[in-house]
Amino acid sequence: MVKEKKSKEVSNYDIDTTKRTYIKDAFSKSGEIELYGWVHDTRDLSKIRFLVLRDITGRLQVVGIKGETSDDIFEKMHDVSRESVVKIKGTLKDSKQAPGGKELNPTEIEIISVAEQPLPIDVSDHSKTELPKRLDFRFLDLHRERAQAIFKVNNTLLQAYREFMEKEGAFEAIFPSIIGASSEGGTEVYPVQYFEKKALLSQSCQLYKQMLACSMEKVYAVFPVWRAEKHNTIRHLNESRQYDFEMAFADDKIVMDVLARCVQHMVKKVLEKHSKELEMYDVKIKVPDVKYLTFHEVAELMKKHNCHVGKDDLSPESERKLGELYPDTIVFVHDWPLSGKPFYIMPSDKKGPNGEQLSKGFDAIYKGMEISSGGQRIHIPELLTQRFKAKGMKVENFKDYIDSFRYGAPIHAGWGMGVERMTMLILGLPNIREAVLFPRDRDRLTP
Ligand code: ATP
Ligand code: MG
């Protein structure tokens, strides 16, 4: 427990941080510096005391020596609790034993915020606290460098995606998240009372990105999606985000190539910037190769390996098998049976071996899991109307969408790729919930 006396020593609220030095910059500075951060660890060897200070850029060892360091500081180094927030002033000196070759001699320690003890979760790098409990205290779990590493990588992936799309000449779009009718078909939607009307939380930006591609040609978005799937799996969230792309004057082949180059660029950027984080997760990745297989070819391949494939969908087992057979490869499965794809996917002229109608839809499998679905879309209002009817959907709910193709609509194609799923796969995380700051799943609405 923190002693009462200590909490009184917490400084006032008037804290001037303008002279702050980040830990990563401290090593090259001489003279007195001012650091802010969290108490990562303390160690007491009676005559010598260590305190490891942590900020978002790194860690620094602070050393107090009885008789040399002022009594007040020496005492604080003992009493301050782990994860408390402090300001520390001091000068750096060389030290062979210290990580980074330097340690700080403190001339002032100010406690800004005391962390209550005991901490509700284990905040060490390899925390022994199970994921659900860590997520209950996610704000504290994010003090861990290992948790932060995931979101640093996620950030690089987001930036690399945007960078790639800008180079491709695509426009970033912001779409509505409250919609009038299901954008993917099916019933797994969250209803919203929208004044007197019934509305839904968006399942995708599908219809909007298509409408926009029909004027601005190349568009992209990082878009939140909500799916009211009741199952609890390690690869699904009820609220997730997608990297979305849509392009006019393009078919499935063209956008598969865009997706391949995009993922390659994203992985390349992670490799360039995150050797530390990849090492932390013991991950060895490389810029992926690309493989194209038809749905039928995959079905034949899976037969050989005694792996179950659905009639018009890939089982998780067959996705895993593809990951094993083609490691470090984006496997595009195209010429997909039309029955397994949503209403907006363009039927193709081709037929499968059992006479089934094929489509211009595809999935991309990477590291044994679906990362993306895409395809050429239907731009012909009559055909679209026909497909709504075939899927048993109400045509009148989609009037605006169908009408948008009546006034000059190019052929177009695109894809959506899971943001959290991509991060999960790149870092080899065992559960997608690790890859989202505040996950929403069947049982979790807080924090
Ligand atoms: P899956 O078959 O894996 O459930 P899906 O085919 O239902 O996915 P799509 O509508 O094709 O999903 O969405 C595009 C991409 O978004 C998927 O390939 C996946 O990477 C990601 N994604 C889809 N649903 C979820 C979800 N519930 N949670 C997290 N990511 C998702
Ligand atoms: Mg899909």
Side-chain angles (χ1 to χ4, degrees):
M1 286 294 287
V2 175
K3 292 181 207 154
E4 181 59 23
K5 161 170 99 82
K6 292 300 137 195
S7 57
K8 287 211 186 92
E9 282 172 19
V10 169
S11 63
N12 58 34
Y13 303 112
D14 190 13
I15 299 160
D16 173 14
T17 58
T18 51
K19 296 197 188 72
R20 179 182 185 186
T21 298
Y22 281 98
I23 289 175
K24 76 169 167 39
D25 303 324
F27 292 87
S28 58
K29 290 218 167 164
S30 56
E32 193 175 59
I33 50 173
E34 231 176 81
L35 301 149
Y36 290 82
W38 290 260
V39 175
H40 183 72
D41 205 359
T42 53
R43 221 158 12 112
D44 191 347
L45 308 177
S46 77
K47 290 215 163 77
I48 179 161
R49 284 177 184 162
F50 295 101
L51 181 158
V52 178
L53 182 72
R54 184 190 73 238
D55 71 16
I56 193 63
T57 66
R59 296 177 190 178
L60 179 67
Q61 181 164 288
V62 180
V63 185
I65 298 166
K66 197 170 175 62
E68 284 182 30
T69 309
S70 84
D71 288 350
D72 169 54
I73 293 173
F74 198 66
E75 197 185 328
K76 274 185 185 158
M77 287 182 76
H78 176 261
D79 292 337
V80 65
S81 59
R82 190 168 179 188
E83 297 307 317
S84 291
V85 174
V86 292
K87 168 186 172 183
I88 302 186
K89 265 194 197 177
T91 48
L92 280 174
K93 62 162 195 196
D94 292 335
S95 158
K96 285 211 181 86
Q97 293 89 356
K102 295 202 175 186
E103 59 192 16
L104 192 86
N105 277 344
T107 51
E108 187 184 319
I109 294 185
E110 198 176 319
I111 299 169
I112 295 175
S113 159
V114 173
E116 288 180 23
Q117 305 290 312
L119 296 172
I121 58 168
D122 174 7
V123 290
S124 56
D125 288 342
H126 291 273
S127 176
K128 291 190 182 63
T129 309
E130 299 283 338
L131 180 62
K133 184 89 185 287
R134 282 201 283 114
L135 292 178
D136 288 344
F137 293 92
R138 186 56 144 170
F139 38 84
L140 180 56
D141 187 48
L142 288 165
H143 284 214
R144 297 166 58 239
E145 281 188 342
R146 225 176 127 76
Q148 291 172 1
I150 297 173
F151 298 99
K152 287 181 178 176
V153 169
N154 190 64
N155 183 58
T156 295
L157 288 168
L158 280 162
Q159 289 200 10
Y161 169 70
R162 290 201 161 100
E163 192 178 79
F164 175 86
M165 284 297 164
E166 292 294 323
K167 275 205 194 117
E168 286 289 301
F171 296 93
E172 180 162 9
I174 297 171
F175 297 116
S177 288
I178 299 178
I179 57 173
S182 161
S183 53
E184 294 292 317
T187 53
E188 291 155 350
V189 293
Y190 290 103
V192 174
Q193 188 65 41
Y194 195 72
F195 304 107
E196 295 75 29
K197 291 186 180 143
K198 292 255 182 289
L200 316 168
L201 284 184
S202 184
Q203 289 169 300
S204 72
C205 60
Q206 183 62 35
L207 313 189
Y208 294 99
K209 67 177 178 173
Q210 282 187 252
M211 290 189 214
L212 192 61
C214 288
S215 55
M216 296 192 65
E217 298 212 16
K218 277 189 197 178
V219 299
Y220 74 98
V222 178
F223 189 75
V225 303
W226 290 271
R227 298 187 179 182
E229 294 154 350
K230 289 210 173 89
H231 52 66
N232 234 328
T233 78
I234 55 129
R235 55 189 248 168
H236 291 100
L237 296 159
N238 291 108
E239 178 183 76
S240 66
R241 273 141 203 93
Q242 287 188 0
Y243 298 107
D244 273 289
F245 175 67
E246 200 70 20
M247 176 177 175
F249 304 105
D251 62 6
D252 50 346
K253 308 245 163 6
I254 290 179
V255 296
M256 280 191 272
D257 174 63
V258 175
L259 178 56
R261 288 185 292 110
C262 182
V263 173
Q264 285 171 335
H265 179 76
M266 290 163 80
V267 174
K268 187 166 155 263
K269 287 288 154 181
V270 171
L271 281 165
E272 276 171 23
K273 289 180 81 171
H274 293 294
S275 51
K276 182 178 157 198
E277 285 75 16
L278 291 172
E279 200 177 308
M280 209 183 265
Y281 278 89
D282 198 17
V283 177
K284 293 188 181 52
I285 50 165
K286 52 180 205 164
V287 175
D289 296 328
V290 185
K291 175 86 185 166
Y292 291 91
L293 293 169
T294 65
F295 188 89
H296 179 57
E297 282 169 335
V298 172
E300 291 295 305
L301 192 62
M302 290 304 133
K303 244 190 242 165
K304 260 199 236 163
H305 290 90
N306 280 327
C307 236
H308 165 77
V309 181
K311 175 173 72 74
D312 57 10
D313 205 358
L314 293 183
S315 62
E317 185 193 356
S318 54
E319 290 178 6
R320 265 196 303 277
K321 194 69 186 172
L322 282 174
E324 266 171 54
L325 295 171
Y326 302 100
D328 289 309
T329 303
I330 304 160
V331 182
F332 284 105
V333 185
H334 57 98
D335 284 320
W336 199 282
L338 183 64
S339 60
K341 286 291 167 194
F343 59 83
Y344 49 77
I345 289 288
M346 185 65 111
S348 91
D349 306 334
K350 298 181 201 161
K351 291 261 192 304
N354 302 316
E356 69 276 24
Q357 167 103 57
L358 299 183
S359 76
K360 296 198 176 192
F362 64 83
D363 272 11
I365 315 296
Y366 180 45
K367 295 188 175 290
M369 216 177 271
E370 178 191 322
I371 49 162
S372 173
S373 289
Q376 186 175 332
R377 325 301 194 183
I378 298 174
H379 64 287
I380 305 160
E382 296 70 33
L383 181 54
L384 199 48
T385 306
Q386 215 179 304
R387 292 295 298 145
F388 276 122
K389 286 184 181 158
K391 293 265 182 194
M393 295 167 77
K394 285 195 181 134
V395 178
E396 56 276 23
N397 285 349
F398 298 91
K399 187 175 177 311
D400 296 336
Y401 172 59
I402 299 172
D403 284 350
S404 76
F405 302 116
R406 293 191 196 280
Y407 309 100
I411 65 158
H412 59 285
W415 41 258
M417 173 165 70
V419 169
E420 299 84 356
R421 201 171 283 182
M422 187 67 180
T423 306
M424 167 198 190
L425 292 172
I426 290 217
L427 285 174
L429 305 174
N431 192 318
I432 196 166
R433 289 162 184 78
E434 296 270 13
V436 55
L437 287 170
F438 299 101
R440 293 289 172 260
D441 66 24
R442 182 93 165 91
D443 305 312
R444 186 174 296 281
L445 203 48
T446 57

mmCIF file of all heavy atoms in Angstrom, residues 184 227 229 235-237 240 242 370-373 416-418 421 432, ligand 1:
data_model
loop_
_atom_site.group_PDB
_atom_site.id
_atom_site.type_symbol
_atom_site.label_atom_id
_atom_site.label_comp_id
_atom_site.label_asym_id
_atom_site.label_seq_id
_atom_site.Cartn_x
_atom_site.Cartn_y
_atom_site.Cartn_z
ATOM 1 N N GLU A 184 -24.908 -5.766 -47.059
ATOM 2 C CA GLU A 184 -24.268 -7.042 -47.381
ATOM 3 C C GLU A 184 -25.282 -8.174 -47.511
ATOM 4 O O GLU A 184 -24.910 -9.316 -47.754
ATOM 5 C CB GLU A 184 -23.262 -7.417 -46.286
ATOM 6 C CG GLU A 184 -22.066 -6.492 -46.186
ATOM 7 C CD GLU A 184 -21.135 -6.591 -47.386
ATOM 8 O OE1 GLU A 184 -20.854 -7.700 -47.852
ATOM 9 O OE2 GLU A 184 -20.708 -5.533 -47.880
ATOM 10 N N ARG A 227 -21.177 -5.920 -37.142
ATOM 11 C CA ARG A 227 -21.846 -7.164 -37.529
ATOM 12 C C ARG A 227 -22.329 -7.885 -36.273
ATOM 13 O O ARG A 227 -21.535 -8.215 -35.401
ATOM 14 C CB ARG A 227 -20.896 -8.042 -38.330
ATOM 15 C CG ARG A 227 -20.505 -7.304 -39.601
ATOM 16 C CD ARG A 227 -19.702 -8.106 -40.553
ATOM 17 N NE ARG A 227 -19.431 -7.278 -41.738
ATOM 18 C CZ ARG A 227 -18.787 -7.687 -42.798
ATOM 19 N NH1 ARG A 227 -18.364 -8.916 -42.870
ATOM 20 N NH2 ARG A 227 -18.585 -6.870 -43.823
ATOM 21 N N GLU A 229 -22.962 -10.731 -35.418
ATOM 22 C CA GLU A 229 -22.769 -12.184 -35.395
ATOM 23 C C GLU A 229 -22.688 -12.630 -33.937
ATOM 24 O O GLU A 229 -21.916 -12.079 -33.168
ATOM 25 C CB GLU A 229 -21.463 -12.545 -36.129
ATOM 26 C CG GLU A 229 -21.524 -12.234 -37.616
ATOM 27 C CD GLU A 229 -20.145 -11.964 -38.233
ATOM 28 O OE1 GLU A 229 -19.160 -11.826 -37.491
ATOM 29 O OE2 GLU A 229 -20.096 -11.889 -39.472
ATOM 30 N N ARG A 235 -11.302 -14.798 -34.504
ATOM 31 C CA ARG A 235 -11.028 -13.970 -35.685
ATOM 32 C C ARG A 235 -12.142 -12.982 -36.018
ATOM 33 O O ARG A 235 -12.083 -12.291 -37.013
ATOM 34 C CB ARG A 235 -10.739 -14.857 -36.889
ATOM 35 C CG ARG A 235 -11.841 -15.866 -37.172
ATOM 36 C CD ARG A 235 -11.394 -16.849 -38.217
ATOM 37 N NE ARG A 235 -12.143 -16.673 -39.450
ATOM 38 C CZ ARG A 235 -11.803 -17.243 -40.596
ATOM 39 N NH1 ARG A 235 -10.710 -17.963 -40.676
ATOM 40 N NH2 ARG A 235 -12.537 -17.070 -41.662
ATOM 41 N N HIS A 236 -13.181 -12.954 -35.179
ATOM 42 C CA HIS A 236 -14.298 -12.030 -35.434
ATOM 43 C C HIS A 236 -14.509 -11.067 -34.278
ATOM 44 O O HIS A 236 -14.427 -11.453 -33.119
ATOM 45 C CB HIS A 236 -15.595 -12.809 -35.653
ATOM 46 C CG HIS A 236 -15.615 -13.594 -36.917
ATOM 47 N ND1 HIS A 236 -15.364 -14.934 -36.947
ATOM 48 C CD2 HIS A 236 -15.839 -13.210 -38.195
ATOM 49 C CE1 HIS A 236 -15.439 -15.363 -38.205
ATOM 50 N NE2 HIS A 236 -15.717 -14.334 -38.983
ATOM 51 N N LEU A 237 -14.842 -9.837 -34.637
ATOM 52 C CA LEU A 237 -15.268 -8.827 -33.670
ATOM 53 C C LEU A 237 -16.666 -8.396 -34.080
ATOM 54 O O LEU A 237 -17.054 -8.591 -35.230
ATOM 55 C CB LEU A 237 -14.339 -7.611 -33.751
ATOM 56 C CG LEU A 237 -12.880 -7.835 -33.374
ATOM 57 C CD1 LEU A 237 -12.010 -6.741 -33.973
ATOM 58 C CD2 LEU A 237 -12.739 -7.858 -31.860
ATOM 59 N N SER A 240 -15.611 -3.829 -36.158
ATOM 60 C CA SER A 240 -14.255 -3.890 -36.702
ATOM 61 C C SER A 240 -14.080 -2.779 -37.728
ATOM 62 O O SER A 240 -14.994 -1.976 -37.945
ATOM 63 C CB SER A 240 -13.984 -5.263 -37.318
ATOM 64 O OG SER A 240 -14.803 -5.473 -38.436
ATOM 65 N N GLN A 242 -12.370 -1.744 -41.722
ATOM 66 C CA GLN A 242 -11.882 -2.297 -42.978
ATOM 67 C C GLN A 242 -11.085 -1.274 -43.767
ATOM 68 O O GLN A 242 -11.407 -0.089 -43.762
ATOM 69 C CB GLN A 242 -13.068 -2.768 -43.831
ATOM 70 C CG GLN A 242 -13.685 -4.035 -43.293
ATOM 71 C CD GLN A 242 -14.716 -4.636 -44.206
ATOM 72 O OE1 GLN A 242 -14.992 -4.111 -45.270
ATOM 73 N NE2 GLN A 242 -15.296 -5.733 -43.791
ATOM 74 N N GLU A 370 -8.725 -15.694 -44.184
ATOM 75 C CA GLU A 370 -9.224 -14.694 -45.137
ATOM 76 C C GLU A 370 -8.847 -13.303 -44.644
ATOM 77 O O GLU A 370 -9.164 -12.942 -43.525
ATOM 78 C CB GLU A 370 -10.752 -14.814 -45.254
ATOM 79 C CG GLU A 370 -11.329 -13.777 -46.185
ATOM 80 C CD GLU A 370 -12.860 -13.690 -46.133
ATOM 81 O OE1 GLU A 370 -13.527 -14.732 -46.016
ATOM 82 O OE2 GLU A 370 -13.367 -12.552 -46.206
ATOM 83 N N ILE A 371 -8.184 -12.536 -45.513
ATOM 84 C CA ILE A 371 -7.937 -11.139 -45.131
ATOM 85 C C ILE A 371 -8.848 -10.197 -45.903
ATOM 86 O O ILE A 371 -9.092 -9.074 -45.491
ATOM 87 C CB ILE A 371 -6.465 -10.674 -45.349
ATOM 88 C CG1 ILE A 371 -5.948 -11.023 -46.743
ATOM 89 C CG2 ILE A 371 -5.578 -11.164 -44.256
ATOM 90 C CD1 ILE A 371 -4.707 -10.226 -47.132
ATOM 91 N N SER A 372 -9.332 -10.661 -47.057
ATOM 92 C CA SER A 372 -10.108 -9.745 -47.879
ATOM 93 C C SER A 372 -11.060 -10.499 -48.791
ATOM 94 O O SER A 372 -10.790 -11.630 -49.203
ATOM 95 C CB SER A 372 -9.143 -8.903 -48.730
ATOM 96 O OG SER A 372 -9.846 -8.121 -49.655
ATOM 97 N N SER A 373 -12.196 -9.841 -49.086
ATOM 98 C CA SER A 373 -13.099 -10.307 -50.146
ATOM 99 C C SER A 373 -13.270 -9.151 -51.111
ATOM 100 O O SER A 373 -13.282 -7.986 -50.693
ATOM 101 C CB SER A 373 -14.470 -10.664 -49.591
ATOM 102 O OG SER A 373 -14.393 -11.839 -48.840
ATOM 103 N N GLY A 416 -12.522 -5.199 -49.685
ATOM 104 C CA GLY A 416 -12.453 -4.745 -48.295
ATOM 105 C C GLY A 416 -11.546 -5.709 -47.539
ATOM 106 O O GLY A 416 -11.632 -6.925 -47.739
ATOM 107 N N MET A 417 -10.688 -5.146 -46.695
ATOM 108 C CA MET A 417 -9.732 -5.998 -45.964
ATOM 109 C C MET A 417 -9.778 -5.635 -44.484
ATOM 110 O O MET A 417 -9.833 -4.454 -44.128
ATOM 111 C CB MET A 417 -8.331 -5.742 -46.539
ATOM 112 C CG MET A 417 -7.202 -6.410 -45.788
ATOM 113 S SD MET A 417 -5.678 -6.422 -46.752
ATOM 114 C CE MET A 417 -5.224 -4.697 -46.752
ATOM 115 N N GLY A 418 -9.772 -6.638 -43.626
ATOM 116 C CA GLY A 418 -9.905 -6.393 -42.185
ATOM 117 C C GLY A 418 -8.679 -5.715 -41.589
ATOM 118 O O GLY A 418 -7.568 -6.216 -41.733
ATOM 119 N N ARG A 421 -7.683 -7.791 -38.436
ATOM 120 C CA ARG A 421 -7.250 -9.130 -38.843
ATOM 121 C C ARG A 421 -5.841 -9.086 -39.445
ATOM 122 O O ARG A 421 -5.024 -9.964 -39.220
ATOM 123 C CB ARG A 421 -8.240 -9.744 -39.821
ATOM 124 C CG ARG A 421 -8.100 -11.253 -39.835
ATOM 125 C CD ARG A 421 -9.175 -11.931 -40.604
ATOM 126 N NE ARG A 421 -10.437 -12.013 -39.900
ATOM 127 C CZ ARG A 421 -11.501 -12.620 -40.401
ATOM 128 N NH1 ARG A 421 -11.438 -13.177 -41.596
ATOM 129 N NH2 ARG A 421 -12.631 -12.663 -39.712
ATOM 130 N N ILE A 432 -7.874 -11.989 -32.170
ATOM 131 C CA ILE A 432 -8.051 -10.681 -32.833
ATOM 132 C C ILE A 432 -8.282 -9.563 -31.811
ATOM 133 O O ILE A 432 -7.964 -8.397 -32.068
ATOM 134 C CB ILE A 432 -9.183 -10.750 -33.879
ATOM 135 C CG1 ILE A 432 -9.112 -9.545 -34.826
ATOM 136 C CG2 ILE A 432 -10.554 -10.875 -33.232
ATOM 137 C CD1 ILE A 432 -9.949 -9.665 -36.086
HETATM 138 P P1 ATP B 1 -15.199 -14.189 -42.589
HETATM 139 O O1 ATP B 1 -15.588 -15.185 -43.656
HETATM 140 O O2 ATP B 1 -13.769 -14.306 -42.183
HETATM 141 O O3 ATP B 1 -16.151 -14.177 -41.447
HETATM 142 P P2 ATP B 1 -16.548 -12.233 -44.195
HETATM 143 O O4 ATP B 1 -16.447 -12.903 -45.510
HETATM 144 O O5 ATP B 1 -17.814 -12.324 -43.438
HETATM 145 O O6 ATP B 1 -15.328 -12.740 -43.248
HETATM 146 P P3 ATP B 1 -16.231 -9.696 -45.537
HETATM 147 O O7 ATP B 1 -17.574 -9.108 -45.584
HETATM 148 O O8 ATP B 1 -15.692 -10.340 -46.735
HETATM 149 O O9 ATP B 1 -16.147 -10.708 -44.290
HETATM 150 O O10 ATP B 1 -15.257 -8.556 -44.977
HETATM 151 C C1 ATP B 1 -13.998 -8.237 -45.533
HETATM 152 C C2 ATP B 1 -12.869 -8.492 -44.560
HETATM 153 O O11 ATP B 1 -13.088 -7.851 -43.310
HETATM 154 C C3 ATP B 1 -12.705 -9.963 -44.202
HETATM 155 O O12 ATP B 1 -11.945 -10.628 -45.169
HETATM 156 C C4 ATP B 1 -12.009 -9.880 -42.867
HETATM 157 O O13 ATP B 1 -10.619 -9.625 -43.044
HETATM 158 C C5 ATP B 1 -12.619 -8.646 -42.233
HETATM 159 N N1 ATP B 1 -13.757 -8.992 -41.363
HETATM 160 C C6 ATP B 1 -14.992 -9.351 -41.751
HETATM 161 N N2 ATP B 1 -15.806 -9.598 -40.722
HETATM 162 C C7 ATP B 1 -15.068 -9.361 -39.624
HETATM 163 C C8 ATP B 1 -15.347 -9.441 -38.218
HETATM 164 N N3 ATP B 1 -16.550 -9.785 -37.777
HETATM 165 N N4 ATP B 1 -14.353 -9.135 -37.370
HETATM 166 C C9 ATP B 1 -13.133 -8.772 -37.821
HETATM 167 N N5 ATP B 1 -12.814 -8.679 -39.123
HETATM 168 C C10 ATP B 1 -13.751 -8.974 -40.019
#
